[in-house]
Amino acid sequence: MNKTIIITGATTGFGRATALKFAENGFNIIITGRRKKLLDELENELRAIGKTKVLSLNFDVRKKDEVESAIGNLGAEWKKIDILVNNAGLAVGLSHIQEGDTDDWDRMIDTNVKGLLYVTRVVAPLMIARNRGHIFNIGSIAGIETYENGNVYCASKFAVGALSKSMRIDMLKNNIKVTLIAPGMAETEFSIVRFKGDEQKAKNVYKGINALTAGDIADVIYYCATLPEHVCINEIVITPTQQASVNHNVRRE
Ligand code: NDP
Ligand code: 8X3
């Protein structure tokens, strides 16, 4: 029987690449996100692969009621979720703490921390009921070290690290694996969102760096998800070869 994976934030970037990777390998896929048009396009692409069932759920992870109703109303077959990828997230703005925009702070904390919690709160009991499951939390190297101007984004990803450890302990008796994925520089829509649509500024972030791709992250998630039952990768840090920490990279022309 095919396994089922649910991915938050599947409209672009890591989430989209992960959906494609698992669909190519015969998993049933639940894709989620706010942009309905992109969800519809991906749904068609996944169906065209032809190996799998696809369900698309259009909700905002910050809205507890939407999360509860979308996942709570799944049919019995779809409720048999084997893998949850808590991926939906964002950085907004880049400024010193004393100049930070408090609306940006709310968006990051509400999405990266509270959104991840709301989704986990609904999916984890479904996994516990079956005494099996694997939760991936997409943290960041910004959740391991901080950098100038990163303040609230870093704090939100440190929280994802703490929650990953806590979840693993809390659900140890329930046979649930929890894996924290902590990527470094990856070229997706991430920096476009951070710079509020300024594509040139976003491009400059990766200038001279052979950055990670969304496909690289999808490959790593797939590897961790398909290890033997007794093996759980707790945490994995992935950077481009040209990056050694949030504050150290080498650019080449
Ligand atoms: P993208 O901007 O390409 O993708 C982000 C995804 O999150 C989109 O699908 C977006 O969908 C979704 N999303 C954002 N806010 C919400 C919301 N409120 N409700 C539902 N979905 C939401 O960036 P990445 O793929 O790079 O980012 C994925 C994750 O990886 C994030 O958590 C990010 O912090 C993390 N990360 C990224 C790194 C990078 O360098 N790119 C490095 C380390 C970690 P939609 O807008 O349609 O809702
Ligand atoms: C994204 C990586 O270094 O741009 O989480 O914050 S970084």
Side-chain angles (χ1 to χ4, degrees):
M1 203 177 67
N2 286 353
K3 287 189 171 177
T4 297
I5 181 170
I6 179 168
I7 303 159
T8 66
T11 54
T12 57
F14 301 168
R16 186 177 203 284
T18 303
L20 287 163
K21 177 82 187 179
F22 280 78
E24 278 152 12
N25 287 282
F27 280 70
N28 295 326
I29 319 274
I30 306 175
I31 50 172
T32 80
R34 290 168 304 173
R35 283 170 289 177
K36 174 89 170 66
K37 186 167 173 285
L38 294 180
L39 275 182
D40 290 346
E41 285 168 14
L42 177 60
E43 187 178 339
N44 289 335
E45 223 174 301
L46 295 171
R47 283 191 200 289
I49 293 171
K51 297 185 184 172
T52 165
K53 288 190 206 146
V54 187
L55 183 70
S56 131
L57 301 176
N58 186 202
F59 65 84
D60 184 329
V61 295
R62 292 171 297 178
K63 300 193 175 148
K64 197 171 20 175
D65 293 350
E66 287 186 17
V67 173
E68 286 172 358
S69 128
I71 299 171
N73 288 327
L74 287 173
E77 276 310 303
W78 282 112
K79 276 191 172 151
K80 292 180 186 161
I81 294 170
D82 297 285
I83 301 169
L84 161 64
V85 183
N86 275 316
N87 165 74
L90 76 183
V92 206
L94 194 64
S95 57
H96 283 162
I97 197 87
Q98 71 277 13
E99 289 155 1
D101 179 329
T102 55
D103 290 337
D104 292 348
W105 296 356
D106 287 342
R107 276 180 72 191
M108 289 187 275
I109 292 168
D110 289 350
T111 310
N112 301 355
V113 184
K114 291 167 70 182
L116 178 147
L117 284 169
Y118 296 156
V119 174
T120 304
R121 180 65 185 84
V122 184
V123 175
L126 302 176
M127 291 179 164
I128 288 171
R130 297 170 65 226
N131 202 40
R132 60 181 297 156
H134 195 161
I135 298 176
F136 287 86
N137 292 327
I138 310 301
S140 170
I141 57 167
I144 294 168
E145 302 165 283
T146 58
Y147 54 92
E148 187 172 3
N149 294 318
N151 44 65
V152 175
Y153 178 67
C154 294
S156 74
K157 292 299 184 180
F158 269 75
V160 173
L163 287 169
S164 301
K165 283 200 173 85
S166 300
M167 286 180 194
R168 198 176 305 110
I169 295 165
D170 289 351
M171 295 186 286
L172 183 61
K173 289 198 181 94
N174 306 107
N175 201 33
I176 309 296
K177 297 188 195 187
V178 179
T179 300
L180 172 71
I181 304 281
M185 297 168 89
E187 199 162 356
T188 59
E189 288 192 2
F190 176 81
S191 290
I192 301 173
V193 173
R194 167 168 256 171
F195 296 121
K196 303 179 181 177
D198 187 335
E199 294 195 13
Q200 194 48 53
K201 218 168 167 182
K203 231 181 171 32
N204 287 342
V205 171
Y206 309 102
K207 199 161 178 230
I209 304 265
N210 191 359
L212 297 170
T213 66
D216 296 329
I217 304 306
D219 287 350
V220 171
I221 294 173
Y222 186 75
Y223 169 75
C224 296
T226 50
L227 287 166
E229 202 45 54
H230 67 286
V231 181
C232 176
I233 304 267
N234 286 208
E235 302 185 352
I236 191 158
V237 180
I238 317 151
T239 63
T241 309
Q242 288 170 254
Q243 182 181 29
S245 82
V246 282
N247 293 305
H248 299 90
N249 57 60
V250 57
R251 293 180 196 268
R252 298 198 178 96
E253 286 318 311

